[in-house]
């Protein structure tokens, strides 16, 4: 199996959506009373954080690739 890059933004997005699903599951079974207006901002904030982490990861990897290509050109 071919190895792939670690993508922390996708990890954060997955964990946030998993948390939202668990909260809705707990709400539907009656274990917790979670209002919808608590889950929506949590989800949107988590997805925004995931996007920010993804952009930072992309920028760091792009800079590293450019530095490696510049050092190999010399």
């Amino acid at each position: 199996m071919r190895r792939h890059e670690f993508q922390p933004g996708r990890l954060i997005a997955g964990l946030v959506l998993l948390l939202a699903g668990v909260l809705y599951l707990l709400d539907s079974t009656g274990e917790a009373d979670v209002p919808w207006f608590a889950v929506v901002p949590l989800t949107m904030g988590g997805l925004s954080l995931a996007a920010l982490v993804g952009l930072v990861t992309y920028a760091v990897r792009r800079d590293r690739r450019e530095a490696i290509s510049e050092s190999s050109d010399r």
Side-chain angles (χ1 to χ4, degrees):
M1 181 174 180
R2 205 171 142 210
R3 296 183 66 93
H4 61 277
E5 292 181 328
F6 174 65
Q7 297 180 347
R10 289 187 181 187
L11 174 66
I12 292 172
L15 291 175
V16 166
L17 292 176
L18 183 67
L19 176 66
V22 167
L23 287 175
Y24 273 123
L25 179 67
L26 289 174
D27 189 34
S28 68
T29 59
E31 296 293 323
D33 187 28
V34 182
W36 67 269
F37 54 85
V39 176
V40 172
L42 173 80
T43 303
M44 294 307 295
L47 291 177
S48 299
L49 177 64
L52 179 66
V53 169
L55 288 172
V56 169
T57 303
Y58 174 76
V60 167
R61 288 185 178 159
R62 186 185 64 200
D63 287 344
R64 285 186 182 174
R65 275 185 259 141
E66 288 175 1
I68 290 171
S69 67
E70 285 177 2
S71 67
S72 65
D73 289 341
R74 292 180 185 178

